[in-house]
Amino acid sequence: MGKLKTIGLILAGLAMLAACGAAAVESTPKNGACQDVQDRDRIVDALGYFPNRLSPLGAAVLCNDAAGVERALKGGASPNAREPGGETPLLIAAAIPRTDLLKRLLASGGDPNSWEKDARTLALHYALSAGVQRDDWSAWDVLLASHADINFRPPGGATIAEDAVSLGAVDKLLQLLDRGYHVDPARLVRELEAVRYDANTEPLRLQAIERVRALMR
């Protein structure tokens, strides 16, 4: 009976360890990726794939490892350095989003106007997507508060207002207009006229068309 009791205690201890491991939000980065990451689906939705070759800073952001982010920054890592997939650590933080880490990267010289190398996707676009898909507007609010240039168009890419039209976030387009968006209003009107939304969003589209047309006068 003593032996069976010992085995039972060992099994109970292993079960407790497993439960503690399952409760962890993220694990430590290893070889440029997270091990047993808990929000893998969220990352894939945000970035379009799961990165497995990242810099120490990029991997720490992906894994939600604040201590790792601090170590990398103190070691001289840049929030704006390109990762193999074309993103930067700041873009990764904006996309998932990892808002506390995004704030830290911005405070360390991260560029709120940064954009992905291939698709020319803005940090604001990633934050907008997180809001539309997850109803998480934290990164969007942080980037706007950090004076991201809402009129910036990356080479070969779209402005954030054009992205708002394509994602159906017309309320955010109106917010951008309130903040002084003014780039190529004729193009923006054409894009607004080419789309149709649901009954709740359609009145906002019509309002946005009038607002943008006023910029052309």
Side-chain angles (χ1 to χ4, degrees):
M1 293 297 293
K3 185 174 181 180
L4 290 175
K5 183 177 181 180
T6 300
I7 293 173
L9 289 172
I10 291 172
L11 292 174
L14 290 174
M16 183 176 295
L17 288 173
C20 291
V25 175
E26 301 293 348
S27 58
T28 305
K30 182 178 180 182
N31 298 325
C34 301
Q35 305 302 305
D36 301 322
V37 63
Q38 298 298 306
D39 58 356
R40 178 180 291 266
D41 290 343
R42 186 185 185 108
I43 293 169
V44 172
D45 287 343
L47 297 173
Y49 74 112
F50 188 85
N52 57 15
R53 293 183 301 115
L54 292 172
S55 68
L57 179 57
V61 171
L62 190 77
C63 299
N64 206 19
D65 178 8
V69 168
E70 290 299 326
R71 285 194 301 271
L73 290 173
K74 288 178 181 178
S78 170
N80 305 312
R82 293 283 181 202
E83 300 289 348
E87 307 90 357
T88 67
L90 185 140
L91 291 174
I92 294 170
I96 297 174
R98 309 272 194 225
T99 309
D100 289 341
L101 298 183
L102 175 61
K103 293 177 182 178
R104 183 69 184 90
L105 296 178
L106 287 165
S108 298
D111 181 5
N113 301 313
S114 57
W115 41 275
E116 190 270 339
K117 179 181 178 182
D118 296 322
R120 307 294 198 267
T121 305
L122 290 164
L124 273 171
H125 175 92
Y126 282 117
L128 181 69
S129 296
V132 170
Q133 295 179 17
R134 303 280 182 175
D135 197 27
D136 185 343
W137 296 100
S138 56
W140 173 262
D141 293 337
V142 166
L143 288 170
L144 290 180
S146 298
H147 307 294
D149 184 358
I150 60 174
N151 291 297
F152 175 64
R153 183 190 299 280
T159 68
I160 188 56
E162 292 163 359
D163 288 337
V165 174
S166 66
L167 292 177
V170 189
D171 57 331
K172 299 305 177 184
L173 170 58
L174 293 171
Q175 180 187 10
L176 294 169
L177 292 170
D178 289 340
R179 296 177 72 95
Y181 180 86
H182 57 76
V183 174
D184 200 350
R187 174 174 175 171
L188 191 57
V189 165
R190 290 194 299 271
E191 293 185 359
L192 281 164
E193 290 176 337
V195 296
R196 291 293 183 275
Y197 301 118
D198 59 32
N200 292 326
T201 308
E202 187 64 13
L204 296 179
R205 182 185 75 92
L206 298 176
Q207 180 183 344
I209 289 174
E210 291 306 310
R211 292 275 306 273
V212 178
R213 279 178 177 162
L215 297 175
M216 301 165 59
R217 296 171 189 154

mmCIF file of all heavy atoms in Angstrom, residues 129-181:
data_model
loop_
_atom_site.group_PDB
_atom_site.id
_atom_site.type_symbol
_atom_site.label_atom_id
_atom_site.label_comp_id
_atom_site.label_asym_id
_atom_site.label_seq_id
_atom_site.Cartn_x
_atom_site.Cartn_y
_atom_site.Cartn_z
ATOM 1 N N SER A 129 -6.888 45.451 -38.532
ATOM 2 C CA SER A 129 -7.339 44.071 -38.721
ATOM 3 C C SER A 129 -7.635 43.399 -37.391
ATOM 4 O O SER A 129 -8.617 42.667 -37.253
ATOM 5 C CB SER A 129 -6.284 43.270 -39.490
ATOM 6 O OG SER A 129 -6.114 43.772 -40.799
ATOM 7 N N ALA A 130 -6.773 43.650 -36.394
ATOM 8 C CA ALA A 130 -7.008 43.081 -35.060
ATOM 9 C C ALA A 130 -8.320 43.593 -34.489
ATOM 10 O O ALA A 130 -9.062 42.852 -33.832
ATOM 11 C CB ALA A 130 -5.844 43.422 -34.132
ATOM 12 N N GLY A 131 -8.627 44.857 -34.758
ATOM 13 C CA GLY A 131 -9.881 45.404 -34.285
ATOM 14 C C GLY A 131 -11.082 44.790 -34.974
ATOM 15 O O GLY A 131 -12.069 44.422 -34.321
ATOM 16 N N VAL A 132 -11.011 44.653 -36.288
ATOM 17 C CA VAL A 132 -12.125 44.106 -37.058
ATOM 18 C C VAL A 132 -12.331 42.628 -36.732
ATOM 19 O O VAL A 132 -13.472 42.167 -36.539
ATOM 20 C CB VAL A 132 -11.881 44.309 -38.566
ATOM 21 C CG1 VAL A 132 -12.908 43.541 -39.394
ATOM 22 C CG2 VAL A 132 -11.911 45.793 -38.919
ATOM 23 N N GLN A 133 -11.242 41.860 -36.664
ATOM 24 C CA GLN A 133 -11.348 40.413 -36.476
ATOM 25 C C GLN A 133 -11.607 40.024 -35.032
ATOM 26 O O GLN A 133 -12.333 39.068 -34.760
ATOM 27 C CB GLN A 133 -10.069 39.736 -36.970
ATOM 28 C CG GLN A 133 -9.837 39.870 -38.460
ATOM 29 C CD GLN A 133 -8.537 39.210 -38.902
ATOM 30 O OE1 GLN A 133 -7.952 38.399 -38.185
ATOM 31 N NE2 GLN A 133 -8.064 39.565 -40.083
ATOM 32 N N ARG A 134 -10.985 40.752 -34.094
ATOM 33 C CA ARG A 134 -11.012 40.343 -32.687
ATOM 34 C C ARG A 134 -11.724 41.335 -31.777
ATOM 35 O O ARG A 134 -11.805 41.114 -30.576
ATOM 36 C CB ARG A 134 -9.570 40.173 -32.182
ATOM 37 C CG ARG A 134 -8.737 39.183 -32.963
ATOM 38 C CD ARG A 134 -9.033 37.778 -32.543
ATOM 39 N NE ARG A 134 -8.211 36.805 -33.262
ATOM 40 C CZ ARG A 134 -8.208 35.508 -33.014
ATOM 41 N NH1 ARG A 134 -8.974 35.042 -32.045
ATOM 42 N NH2 ARG A 134 -7.468 34.680 -33.725
ATOM 43 N N ASP A 135 -12.165 42.456 -32.345
ATOM 44 C CA ASP A 135 -12.731 43.537 -31.546
ATOM 45 C C ASP A 135 -11.737 43.994 -30.484
ATOM 46 O O ASP A 135 -12.109 44.330 -29.357
ATOM 47 C CB ASP A 135 -14.053 43.111 -30.884
ATOM 48 C CG ASP A 135 -14.850 44.324 -30.402
ATOM 49 O OD1 ASP A 135 -14.693 45.424 -30.970
ATOM 50 O OD2 ASP A 135 -15.623 44.174 -29.430
ATOM 51 N N ASP A 136 -10.477 43.998 -30.861
ATOM 52 C CA ASP A 136 -9.401 44.458 -29.981
ATOM 53 C C ASP A 136 -8.769 45.686 -30.631
ATOM 54 O O ASP A 136 -7.970 45.561 -31.567
ATOM 55 C CB ASP A 136 -8.363 43.348 -29.783
ATOM 56 C CG ASP A 136 -7.276 43.738 -28.785
ATOM 57 O OD1 ASP A 136 -7.139 44.948 -28.495
ATOM 58 O OD2 ASP A 136 -6.559 42.836 -28.312
ATOM 59 N N TRP A 137 -9.131 46.850 -30.140
ATOM 60 C CA TRP A 137 -8.668 48.103 -30.732
ATOM 61 C C TRP A 137 -7.510 48.721 -29.961
ATOM 62 O O TRP A 137 -7.173 49.890 -30.170
ATOM 63 C CB TRP A 137 -9.842 49.094 -30.823
ATOM 64 C CG TRP A 137 -10.907 48.604 -31.746
ATOM 65 C CD1 TRP A 137 -12.081 47.998 -31.406
ATOM 66 C CD2 TRP A 137 -10.899 48.654 -33.186
ATOM 67 N NE1 TRP A 137 -12.798 47.663 -32.528
ATOM 68 C CE2 TRP A 137 -12.099 48.061 -33.639
ATOM 69 C CE3 TRP A 137 -9.988 49.141 -34.125
ATOM 70 C CZ2 TRP A 137 -12.414 47.943 -34.984
ATOM 71 C CZ3 TRP A 137 -10.300 49.026 -35.473
ATOM 72 C CH2 TRP A 137 -11.496 48.425 -35.882
ATOM 73 N N SER A 138 -6.910 47.948 -29.085
ATOM 74 C CA SER A 138 -5.865 48.501 -28.224
ATOM 75 C C SER A 138 -4.650 48.967 -29.027
ATOM 76 O O SER A 138 -4.121 50.065 -28.795
ATOM 77 C CB SER A 138 -5.448 47.469 -27.173
ATOM 78 O OG SER A 138 -5.023 46.257 -27.784
ATOM 79 N N ALA A 139 -4.185 48.165 -29.986
ATOM 80 C CA ALA A 139 -3.021 48.564 -30.779
ATOM 81 C C ALA A 139 -3.354 49.761 -31.667
ATOM 82 O O ALA A 139 -2.520 50.658 -31.869
ATOM 83 C CB ALA A 139 -2.534 47.391 -31.623
ATOM 84 N N TRP A 140 -4.547 49.788 -32.207
ATOM 85 C CA TRP A 140 -5.010 50.923 -33.021
ATOM 86 C C TRP A 140 -4.931 52.220 -32.209
ATOM 87 O O TRP A 140 -4.380 53.226 -32.665
ATOM 88 C CB TRP A 140 -6.435 50.650 -33.481
ATOM 89 C CG TRP A 140 -7.145 51.763 -34.187
ATOM 90 C CD1 TRP A 140 -8.026 52.646 -33.625
ATOM 91 C CD2 TRP A 140 -7.069 52.114 -35.571
ATOM 92 N NE1 TRP A 140 -8.512 53.518 -34.573
ATOM 93 C CE2 TRP A 140 -7.939 53.211 -35.775
ATOM 94 C CE3 TRP A 140 -6.367 51.606 -36.659
ATOM 95 C CZ2 TRP A 140 -8.116 53.813 -37.019
ATOM 96 C CZ3 TRP A 140 -6.536 52.201 -37.908
ATOM 97 C CH2 TRP A 140 -7.399 53.281 -38.084
ATOM 98 N N ASP A 141 -5.473 52.187 -31.004
ATOM 99 C CA ASP A 141 -5.473 53.377 -30.158
ATOM 100 C C ASP A 141 -4.046 53.802 -29.799
ATOM 101 O O ASP A 141 -3.731 54.997 -29.788
ATOM 102 C CB ASP A 141 -6.278 53.116 -28.886
ATOM 103 C CG ASP A 141 -7.767 52.931 -29.147
ATOM 104 O OD1 ASP A 141 -8.255 53.414 -30.193
ATOM 105 O OD2 ASP A 141 -8.436 52.299 -28.316
ATOM 106 N N VAL A 142 -3.196 52.833 -29.514
ATOM 107 C CA VAL A 142 -1.810 53.143 -29.143
ATOM 108 C C VAL A 142 -1.062 53.781 -30.309
ATOM 109 O O VAL A 142 -0.340 54.773 -30.134
ATOM 110 C CB VAL A 142 -1.081 51.870 -28.659
ATOM 111 C CG1 VAL A 142 0.431 52.083 -28.606
ATOM 112 C CG2 VAL A 142 -1.597 51.460 -27.292
ATOM 113 N N LEU A 143 -1.223 53.247 -31.512
ATOM 114 C CA LEU A 143 -0.516 53.797 -32.667
ATOM 115 C C LEU A 143 -0.999 55.208 -32.997
ATOM 116 O O LEU A 143 -0.198 56.091 -33.318
ATOM 117 C CB LEU A 143 -0.686 52.872 -33.874
ATOM 118 C CG LEU A 143 0.093 51.563 -33.807
ATOM 119 C CD1 LEU A 143 -0.350 50.626 -34.923
ATOM 120 C CD2 LEU A 143 1.597 51.811 -33.898
ATOM 121 N N LEU A 144 -2.298 55.445 -32.918
ATOM 122 C CA LEU A 144 -2.803 56.789 -33.158
ATOM 123 C C LEU A 144 -2.291 57.760 -32.095
ATOM 124 O O LEU A 144 -1.923 58.899 -32.405
ATOM 125 C CB LEU A 144 -4.329 56.795 -33.191
ATOM 126 C CG LEU A 144 -4.985 56.127 -34.403
ATOM 127 C CD1 LEU A 144 -6.508 56.206 -34.287
ATOM 128 C CD2 LEU A 144 -4.521 56.751 -35.712
ATOM 129 N N ALA A 145 -2.260 57.307 -30.846
ATOM 130 C CA ALA A 145 -1.741 58.157 -29.773
ATOM 131 C C ALA A 145 -0.248 58.417 -29.930
ATOM 132 O O ALA A 145 0.257 59.419 -29.412
ATOM 133 C CB ALA A 145 -2.017 57.509 -28.415
ATOM 134 N N SER A 146 0.428 57.531 -30.656
ATOM 135 C CA SER A 146 1.867 57.694 -30.895
ATOM 136 C C SER A 146 2.144 58.510 -32.154
ATOM 137 O O SER A 146 3.265 58.519 -32.654
ATOM 138 C CB SER A 146 2.540 56.320 -31.015
ATOM 139 O OG SER A 146 2.395 55.594 -29.820
ATOM 140 N N HIS A 147 1.103 59.158 -32.665
ATOM 141 C CA HIS A 147 1.220 60.073 -33.805
ATOM 142 C C HIS A 147 1.628 59.349 -35.099
ATOM 143 O O HIS A 147 2.403 59.881 -35.887
ATOM 144 C CB HIS A 147 2.203 61.203 -33.504
ATOM 145 C CG HIS A 147 1.884 61.930 -32.226
ATOM 146 N ND1 HIS A 147 0.742 62.689 -32.076
ATOM 147 C CD2 HIS A 147 2.544 61.987 -31.039
ATOM 148 C CE1 HIS A 147 0.719 63.197 -30.842
ATOM 149 N NE2 HIS A 147 1.789 62.788 -30.200
ATOM 150 N N ALA A 148 1.082 58.163 -35.293
ATOM 151 C CA ALA A 148 1.245 57.519 -36.599
ATOM 152 C C ALA A 148 0.659 58.438 -37.669
ATOM 153 O O ALA A 148 -0.390 59.050 -37.465
ATOM 154 C CB ALA A 148 0.530 56.166 -36.617
ATOM 155 N N ASP A 149 1.340 58.546 -38.789
ATOM 156 C CA ASP A 149 0.921 59.444 -39.869
ATOM 157 C C ASP A 149 -0.215 58.792 -40.657
ATOM 158 O O ASP A 149 0.013 57.900 -41.474
ATOM 159 C CB ASP A 149 2.101 59.746 -40.779
ATOM 160 C CG ASP A 149 1.763 60.750 -41.877
ATOM 161 O OD1 ASP A 149 0.595 61.181 -41.952
ATOM 162 O OD2 ASP A 149 2.667 61.080 -42.667
ATOM 163 N N ILE A 150 -1.435 59.255 -40.433
ATOM 164 C CA ILE A 150 -2.591 58.632 -41.079
ATOM 165 C C ILE A 150 -2.646 58.948 -42.570
ATOM 166 O O ILE A 150 -3.407 58.314 -43.304
ATOM 167 C CB ILE A 150 -3.908 59.058 -40.398
ATOM 168 C CG1 ILE A 150 -4.097 60.577 -40.478
ATOM 169 C CG2 ILE A 150 -3.945 58.569 -38.959
ATOM 170 C CD1 ILE A 150 -5.430 61.053 -39.948
ATOM 171 N N ASN A 151 -1.835 59.882 -43.039
ATOM 172 C CA ASN A 151 -1.806 60.229 -44.461
ATOM 173 C C ASN A 151 -0.649 59.565 -45.204
ATOM 174 O O ASN A 151 -0.449 59.831 -46.390
ATOM 175 C CB ASN A 151 -1.722 61.753 -44.624
ATOM 176 C CG ASN A 151 -2.999 62.445 -44.196
ATOM 177 O OD1 ASN A 151 -4.055 62.228 -44.779
ATOM 178 N ND2 ASN A 151 -2.915 63.265 -43.165
ATOM 179 N N PHE A 152 0.072 58.708 -44.526
ATOM 180 C CA PHE A 152 1.239 58.061 -45.135
ATOM 181 C C PHE A 152 0.811 56.906 -46.040
ATOM 182 O O PHE A 152 -0.038 56.102 -45.677
ATOM 183 C CB PHE A 152 2.171 57.546 -44.045
ATOM 184 C CG PHE A 152 3.337 56.761 -44.563
ATOM 185 C CD1 PHE A 152 4.295 57.352 -45.364
ATOM 186 C CD2 PHE A 152 3.480 55.420 -44.243
ATOM 187 C CE1 PHE A 152 5.378 56.632 -45.843
ATOM 188 C CE2 PHE A 152 4.556 54.691 -44.704
ATOM 189 C CZ PHE A 152 5.506 55.297 -45.513
ATOM 190 N N ARG A 153 1.402 56.857 -47.224
ATOM 191 C CA ARG A 153 1.197 55.723 -48.131
ATOM 192 C C ARG A 153 2.550 55.051 -48.342
ATOM 193 O O ARG A 153 3.459 55.656 -48.919
ATOM 194 C CB ARG A 153 0.643 56.185 -49.474
ATOM 195 C CG ARG A 153 0.339 55.009 -50.424
ATOM 196 C CD ARG A 153 0.010 55.486 -51.857
ATOM 197 N NE ARG A 153 -1.162 56.335 -51.911
ATOM 198 C CZ ARG A 153 -2.408 55.898 -51.894
ATOM 199 N NH1 ARG A 153 -2.648 54.596 -51.807
ATOM 200 N NH2 ARG A 153 -3.420 56.742 -51.955
ATOM 201 N N PRO A 154 2.717 53.796 -47.913
ATOM 202 C CA PRO A 154 3.989 53.115 -48.155
ATOM 203 C C PRO A 154 4.179 52.882 -49.641
ATOM 204 O O PRO A 154 3.193 52.801 -50.397
ATOM 205 C CB PRO A 154 3.832 51.793 -47.400
ATOM 206 C CG PRO A 154 2.369 51.579 -47.295
ATOM 207 C CD PRO A 154 1.744 52.944 -47.219
ATOM 208 N N PRO A 155 5.398 52.784 -50.112
ATOM 209 C CA PRO A 155 5.640 52.592 -51.548
ATOM 210 C C PRO A 155 4.889 51.373 -52.084
ATOM 211 O O PRO A 155 5.080 50.257 -51.622
ATOM 212 C CB PRO A 155 7.155 52.383 -51.625
ATOM 213 C CG PRO A 155 7.697 53.025 -50.392
ATOM 214 C CD PRO A 155 6.657 52.832 -49.340
ATOM 215 N N GLY A 156 3.998 51.606 -53.042
ATOM 216 C CA GLY A 156 3.239 50.510 -53.642
ATOM 217 C C GLY A 156 2.109 49.989 -52.785
ATOM 218 O O GLY A 156 1.479 48.977 -53.131
ATOM 219 N N GLY A 157 1.809 50.659 -51.670
ATOM 220 C CA GLY A 157 0.774 50.167 -50.769
ATOM 221 C C GLY A 157 -0.414 51.100 -50.683
ATOM 222 O O GLY A 157 -0.553 52.045 -51.447
ATOM 223 N N ALA A 158 -1.295 50.803 -49.745
ATOM 224 C CA ALA A 158 -2.514 51.580 -49.542
ATOM 225 C C ALA A 158 -2.383 52.438 -48.301
ATOM 226 O O ALA A 158 -1.590 52.147 -47.398
ATOM 227 C CB ALA A 158 -3.710 50.643 -49.397
ATOM 228 N N THR A 159 -3.165 53.501 -48.256
ATOM 229 C CA THR A 159 -3.252 54.282 -47.028
ATOM 230 C C THR A 159 -4.149 53.559 -46.036
ATOM 231 O O THR A 159 -4.913 52.657 -46.403
ATOM 232 C CB THR A 159 -3.815 55.682 -47.293
ATOM 233 O OG1 THR A 159 -5.196 55.550 -47.678
ATOM 234 C CG2 THR A 159 -3.040 56.408 -48.384
ATOM 235 N N ILE A 160 -4.087 53.993 -44.787
ATOM 236 C CA ILE A 160 -4.908 53.334 -43.784
ATOM 237 C C ILE A 160 -6.391 53.611 -44.022
ATOM 238 O O ILE A 160 -7.247 52.762 -43.723
ATOM 239 C CB ILE A 160 -4.477 53.760 -42.362
ATOM 240 C CG1 ILE A 160 -5.189 52.921 -41.314
ATOM 241 C CG2 ILE A 160 -4.712 55.245 -42.139
ATOM 242 C CD1 ILE A 160 -4.989 51.415 -41.461
ATOM 243 N N ALA A 161 -6.738 54.742 -44.605
ATOM 244 C CA ALA A 161 -8.145 55.021 -44.911
ATOM 245 C C ALA A 161 -8.656 54.066 -45.988
ATOM 246 O O ALA A 161 -9.792 53.570 -45.914
ATOM 247 C CB ALA A 161 -8.319 56.465 -45.351
ATOM 248 N N GLU A 162 -7.841 53.802 -46.999
ATOM 249 C CA GLU A 162 -8.226 52.849 -48.046
ATOM 250 C C GLU A 162 -8.370 51.447 -47.463
ATOM 251 O O GLU A 162 -9.277 50.691 -47.853
ATOM 252 C CB GLU A 162 -7.200 52.886 -49.170
ATOM 253 C CG GLU A 162 -7.209 54.200 -49.942
ATOM 254 C CD GLU A 162 -5.954 54.436 -50.772
ATOM 255 O OE1 GLU A 162 -5.036 53.572 -50.745
ATOM 256 O OE2 GLU A 162 -5.887 55.475 -51.443
ATOM 257 N N ASP A 163 -7.493 51.099 -46.519
ATOM 258 C CA ASP A 163 -7.619 49.813 -45.844
ATOM 259 C C ASP A 163 -8.917 49.739 -45.048
ATOM 260 O O ASP A 163 -9.578 48.692 -45.015
ATOM 261 C CB ASP A 163 -6.430 49.589 -44.891
ATOM 262 C CG ASP A 163 -5.131 49.313 -45.629
ATOM 263 O OD1 ASP A 163 -5.196 48.865 -46.792
ATOM 264 O OD2 ASP A 163 -4.058 49.541 -45.042
ATOM 265 N N ALA A 164 -9.302 50.842 -44.419
ATOM 266 C CA ALA A 164 -10.539 50.858 -43.643
ATOM 267 C C ALA A 164 -11.748 50.594 -44.533
ATOM 268 O O ALA A 164 -12.685 49.891 -44.140
ATOM 269 C CB ALA A 164 -10.687 52.192 -42.915
ATOM 270 N N VAL A 165 -11.729 51.140 -45.744
ATOM 271 C CA VAL A 165 -12.819 50.879 -46.695
ATOM 272 C C VAL A 165 -12.855 49.402 -47.057
ATOM 273 O O VAL A 165 -13.915 48.763 -47.053
ATOM 274 C CB VAL A 165 -12.655 51.746 -47.959
ATOM 275 C CG1 VAL A 165 -13.701 51.360 -49.010
ATOM 276 C CG2 VAL A 165 -12.785 53.223 -47.615
ATOM 277 N N SER A 166 -11.707 48.831 -47.373
ATOM 278 C CA SER A 166 -11.665 47.428 -47.817
ATOM 279 C C SER A 166 -12.066 46.471 -46.704
ATOM 280 O O SER A 166 -12.613 45.397 -46.977
ATOM 281 C CB SER A 166 -10.263 47.080 -48.337
ATOM 282 O OG SER A 166 -9.310 47.122 -47.296
ATOM 283 N N LEU A 167 -11.823 46.837 -45.448
ATOM 284 C CA LEU A 167 -12.173 45.969 -44.327
ATOM 285 C C LEU A 167 -13.548 46.286 -43.750
ATOM 286 O O LEU A 167 -13.980 45.653 -42.787
ATOM 287 C CB LEU A 167 -11.116 46.088 -43.220
ATOM 288 C CG LEU A 167 -9.732 45.520 -43.550
ATOM 289 C CD1 LEU A 167 -8.770 45.770 -42.396
ATOM 290 C CD2 LEU A 167 -9.812 44.026 -43.848
ATOM 291 N N GLY A 168 -14.233 47.253 -44.333
ATOM 292 C CA GLY A 168 -15.573 47.581 -43.867
ATOM 293 C C GLY A 168 -15.601 48.349 -42.564
ATOM 294 O O GLY A 168 -16.654 48.431 -41.918
ATOM 295 N N ALA A 169 -14.474 48.932 -42.178
ATOM 296 C CA ALA A 169 -14.399 49.687 -40.924
ATOM 297 C C ALA A 169 -14.650 51.166 -41.202
ATOM 298 O O ALA A 169 -13.775 52.018 -40.997
ATOM 299 C CB ALA A 169 -13.041 49.474 -40.265
ATOM 300 N N VAL A 170 -15.854 51.484 -41.662
ATOM 301 C CA VAL A 170 -16.153 52.854 -42.075
ATOM 302 C C VAL A 170 -16.199 53.788 -40.875
ATOM 303 O O VAL A 170 -15.912 54.981 -40.992
ATOM 304 C CB VAL A 170 -17.469 52.905 -42.870
ATOM 305 C CG1 VAL A 170 -17.669 54.286 -43.480
ATOM 306 C CG2 VAL A 170 -17.470 51.863 -43.973
ATOM 307 N N ASP A 171 -16.555 53.274 -39.708
ATOM 308 C CA ASP A 171 -16.517 54.123 -38.516
ATOM 309 C C ASP A 171 -15.094 54.594 -38.234
ATOM 310 O O ASP A 171 -14.875 55.739 -37.806
ATOM 311 C CB ASP A 171 -17.086 53.371 -37.315
ATOM 312 C CG ASP A 171 -16.364 52.069 -37.022
ATOM 313 O OD1 ASP A 171 -15.817 51.448 -37.963
ATOM 314 O OD2 ASP A 171 -16.347 51.655 -35.840
ATOM 315 N N LYS A 172 -14.106 53.737 -38.516
ATOM 316 C CA LYS A 172 -12.708 54.140 -38.332
ATOM 317 C C LYS A 172 -12.275 55.108 -39.430
ATOM 318 O O LYS A 172 -11.437 55.983 -39.196
ATOM 319 C CB LYS A 172 -11.805 52.918 -38.297
ATOM 320 C CG LYS A 172 -12.109 51.957 -37.166
ATOM 321 C CD LYS A 172 -12.077 52.664 -35.816
ATOM 322 C CE LYS A 172 -12.457 51.733 -34.675
ATOM 323 N NZ LYS A 172 -12.523 52.445 -33.371
ATOM 324 N N LEU A 173 -12.821 54.955 -40.630
ATOM 325 C CA LEU A 173 -12.548 55.925 -41.686
ATOM 326 C C LEU A 173 -13.042 57.310 -41.258
ATOM 327 O O LEU A 173 -12.334 58.312 -41.443
ATOM 328 C CB LEU A 173 -13.227 55.500 -42.982
ATOM 329 C CG LEU A 173 -13.237 56.537 -44.113
ATOM 330 C CD1 LEU A 173 -11.827 56.973 -44.495
ATOM 331 C CD2 LEU A 173 -13.987 56.001 -45.324
ATOM 332 N N LEU A 174 -14.228 57.374 -40.684
ATOM 333 C CA LEU A 174 -14.748 58.656 -40.203
ATOM 334 C C LEU A 174 -13.858 59.218 -39.099
ATOM 335 O O LEU A 174 -13.628 60.433 -39.025
ATOM 336 C CB LEU A 174 -16.177 58.487 -39.705
ATOM 337 C CG LEU A 174 -17.207 58.146 -40.790
ATOM 338 C CD1 LEU A 174 -18.547 57.784 -40.156
ATOM 339 C CD2 LEU A 174 -17.377 59.309 -41.763
ATOM 340 N N GLN A 175 -13.345 58.337 -38.261
ATOM 341 C CA GLN A 175 -12.405 58.775 -37.225
ATOM 342 C C GLN A 175 -11.150 59.381 -37.853
ATOM 343 O O GLN A 175 -10.646 60.415 -37.397
ATOM 344 C CB GLN A 175 -12.023 57.590 -36.327
ATOM 345 C CG GLN A 175 -11.040 57.948 -35.221
ATOM 346 C CD GLN A 175 -10.555 56.730 -34.445
ATOM 347 O OE1 GLN A 175 -10.789 55.584 -34.828
ATOM 348 N NE2 GLN A 175 -9.863 56.978 -33.350
ATOM 349 N N LEU A 176 -10.650 58.740 -38.920
ATOM 350 C CA LEU A 176 -9.459 59.250 -39.607
ATOM 351 C C LEU A 176 -9.738 60.610 -40.244
ATOM 352 O O LEU A 176 -8.889 61.509 -40.218
ATOM 353 C CB LEU A 176 -8.999 58.249 -40.657
ATOM 354 C CG LEU A 176 -8.490 56.907 -40.128
ATOM 355 C CD1 LEU A 176 -8.311 55.915 -41.275
ATOM 356 C CD2 LEU A 176 -7.178 57.077 -39.365
ATOM 357 N N LEU A 177 -10.923 60.769 -40.810
ATOM 358 C CA LEU A 177 -11.300 62.068 -41.379
ATOM 359 C C LEU A 177 -11.361 63.141 -40.295
ATOM 360 O O LEU A 177 -10.930 64.279 -40.510
ATOM 361 C CB LEU A 177 -12.636 61.956 -42.105
ATOM 362 C CG LEU A 177 -12.633 61.107 -43.382
ATOM 363 C CD1 LEU A 177 -14.055 60.867 -43.863
ATOM 364 C CD2 LEU A 177 -11.800 61.774 -44.483
ATOM 365 N N ASP A 178 -11.873 62.777 -39.136
ATOM 366 C CA ASP A 178 -11.901 63.714 -38.005
ATOM 367 C C ASP A 178 -10.493 64.129 -37.598
ATOM 368 O O ASP A 178 -10.286 65.258 -37.126
ATOM 369 C CB ASP A 178 -12.608 63.087 -36.801
ATOM 370 C CG ASP A 178 -14.103 62.934 -36.998
ATOM 371 O OD1 ASP A 178 -14.668 63.627 -37.877
ATOM 372 O OD2 ASP A 178 -14.702 62.110 -36.276
ATOM 373 N N ARG A 179 -9.528 63.213 -37.812
ATOM 374 C CA ARG A 179 -8.145 63.490 -37.403
ATOM 375 C C ARG A 179 -7.328 64.156 -38.510
ATOM 376 O O ARG A 179 -6.136 64.360 -38.353
ATOM 377 C CB ARG A 179 -7.469 62.192 -36.967
ATOM 378 C CG ARG A 179 -8.096 61.553 -35.728
ATOM 379 C CD ARG A 179 -7.418 60.236 -35.391
ATOM 380 N NE ARG A 179 -6.082 60.438 -34.854
ATOM 381 C CZ ARG A 179 -5.770 60.504 -33.567
ATOM 382 N NH1 ARG A 179 -6.727 60.376 -32.654
ATOM 383 N NH2 ARG A 179 -4.527 60.678 -33.173
ATOM 384 N N GLY A 180 -7.974 64.471 -39.643
ATOM 385 C CA GLY A 180 -7.284 65.220 -40.675
ATOM 386 C C GLY A 180 -6.810 64.428 -41.871
ATOM 387 O O GLY A 180 -5.956 64.900 -42.643
ATOM 388 N N TYR A 181 -7.363 63.242 -42.103
ATOM 389 C CA TYR A 181 -6.979 62.494 -43.310
ATOM 390 C C TYR A 181 -7.403 63.268 -44.554
ATOM 391 O O TYR A 181 -8.518 63.792 -44.623
ATOM 392 C CB TYR A 181 -7.633 61.117 -43.310
ATOM 393 C CG TYR A 181 -7.254 60.304 -44.537
ATOM 394 C CD1 TYR A 181 -6.097 59.544 -44.544
ATOM 395 C CD2 TYR A 181 -8.039 60.338 -45.685
ATOM 396 C CE1 TYR A 181 -5.732 58.821 -45.671
ATOM 397 C CE2 TYR A 181 -7.677 59.624 -46.806
ATOM 398 C CZ TYR A 181 -6.525 58.869 -46.800
ATOM 399 O OH TYR A 181 -6.159 58.167 -47.917
#
